[in-house]
Amino acid sequence: MLEIPEAIVISRQLDQTVKGKRIKEVVTAASPHKFAWYFGEPSEYDALLCGRTIEAAFSYGGRIEMPVEDAVLQFGDGVNLRYYEADEKHPAKHQLFVAFDDGSALAATVAMYGMLMAYPPHAMDDDFYYKAAKEAVSPLSDGFDYPYFQTLFDEKGLKMSAKAFLATEQRIPGLGNGVLQDILLNANIHPKKKMRTLSEEQRRELFDSVTSTLAEMTGAGGRDTERDLFGNLGGYQTKLGKNNKLLICPNCGGGVKKESYMGGSIYFCEQCQEK
């Protein structure tokens, strides 16, 4: 999934790899997917983008955006992006395929669900989620300090569990269920713990964990559960998640429990993260 670390890593790779390339052809929905979300009619993407040049690539929240002269390409959520050199074999299945005039290509596929959008500039300006992601303070920026973090503890948020507080309502766009697991483990906070029960010390520990864990994940090239633009797994070894097959806490050696919660799986150490 494209969460903050992977969005940053892949956008940097795109900026170094495809910036300046001219689009020769765009193919959409070659492999139909019920939960591949496009902007408008995907059949119009080729006319919108063909002949135009990638100007840059950057990220905000869990989204990747690429200005393409007088248009925009944007990817988010569960999109997997791969770059192929001219002499590499292209994948047979994809939800969006961008061929460049030098023979290289960019393929986007969707696993569970994902956004693959192309649109004229400012077409998304009134979209709530787009605006929230654009305007939010990144947890990896200087502006995301503890006083700012405290402003997120509104009346509604205090009634939520730790997972809901961090990963819903666009409080911290791009912080999802994937990165959430290690953040809460490092803060010694149970995913189901109600935010109103946190002490001032626990709030501070949670803030420190959000910023330090995301920085570590990003600095290592993303998580070892996700792949970058070239198909390589990230260098950050996730503590809690599908790669922890033995369900042993790396911090204390205790048992890790997996449960279904809020439409996804949560992992927690029964010793480090008391509810």
Side-chain angles (χ1 to χ4, degrees):
M1 298 291 286
L2 277 177
E3 297 189 33
I4 290 171
E6 289 72 39
I8 292 174
V9 169
I10 294 174
S11 66
R12 289 173 179 170
Q13 293 174 330
L14 285 166
D15 196 64
Q16 296 169 357
T17 304
V18 304
K19 183 171 67 174
K21 289 182 181 284
R22 185 172 178 270
I23 296 174
K24 180 181 179 180
E25 181 186 20
V26 178
V27 179
T28 55
S31 304
H33 192 296
K34 185 177 180 180
F35 298 109
W37 300 321
Y38 299 92
F39 181 93
E41 292 296 329
S43 59
E44 298 176 359
Y45 283 18
D46 185 63
L48 178 65
L49 300 172
C50 192
R52 290 166 172 78
T53 300
I54 304 288
E55 296 179 336
F58 52 88
S59 70
Y60 47 90
R63 301 181 182 217
I64 293 173
E65 186 168 306
M66 293 192 289
V68 189
E69 295 188 36
D70 55 348
V72 177
L73 256 175
Q74 185 186 136
F75 303 99
D77 293 316
V79 173
N80 300 304
L81 288 172
R82 297 289 182 273
Y83 174 76
Y84 297 89
E85 296 285 1
D87 58 351
E88 288 186 276
K89 184 178 180 180
H90 300 156
K93 295 183 178 181
H94 46 74
Q95 278 69 56
L96 188 148
F97 185 81
V98 180
F100 300 107
D101 60 5
D102 65 353
S104 63
L106 185 66
T109 57
V110 173
M112 295 176 63
Y113 59 88
M115 299 186 309
L116 317 99
M117 302 193 292
Y119 50 87
H122 307 298
M124 291 284 291
D125 286 358
D126 292 330
D127 181 84
F128 168 77
Y129 294 99
Y130 174 83
K131 289 175 65 177
K134 273 276 191 179
E135 297 170 1
V137 178
S138 168
L140 297 179
S141 70
D142 292 339
F144 196 95
D145 53 17
Y146 188 61
Y148 172 79
F149 186 65
Q150 289 179 300
T151 67
L152 303 181
F153 288 79
D154 56 16
E155 183 177 348
K156 185 177 181 180
L158 288 171
K159 297 177 182 178
M160 293 180 167
S161 66
K163 173 180 174 174
F165 177 81
L166 290 179
T168 67
E169 305 287 337
Q170 296 293 296
R171 285 180 179 79
I172 309 177
L175 195 164
N177 195 55
V179 300
L180 175 81
Q181 313 296 334
D182 282 15
I183 288 173
L184 291 177
L185 175 65
N186 292 337
N188 297 317
I189 294 174
H190 194 286
K192 294 183 180 180
K193 190 174 182 66
K194 295 298 183 182
M195 295 303 292
R196 66 172 178 267
T197 68
L198 295 186
S199 65
E200 177 62 22
E201 181 181 1
Q202 287 175 314
R203 290 189 183 192
R204 172 66 74 169
E205 288 175 350
L206 182 57
F207 165 76
D208 290 340
S209 183
V210 167
T211 55
S212 63
T213 305
L214 289 174
E216 187 178 355
M217 289 174 171
T218 304
R223 294 165 285 157
D224 62 355
T225 56
E226 308 298 326
R227 296 186 182 274
D228 67 8
L229 187 64
F230 308 106
N232 302 311
L233 291 170
Y236 174 86
Q237 294 186 347
T238 49
K239 296 179 179 181
L240 298 184
K242 64 181 182 181
N243 282 7
N244 188 336
K245 301 184 186 304
L246 298 178
L247 295 179
I248 295 176
C249 176
N251 289 356
C252 74
V256 168
K257 193 170 183 180
K258 177 184 178 182
E259 292 183 358
S260 295
Y261 180 59
M262 291 182 60
S265 296
I266 54 172
Y267 297 80
F268 56 90
C269 172
E270 296 181 283
Q271 295 184 47
C272 296
Q273 298 167 274
E274 292 184 7
K275 186 177 178 183

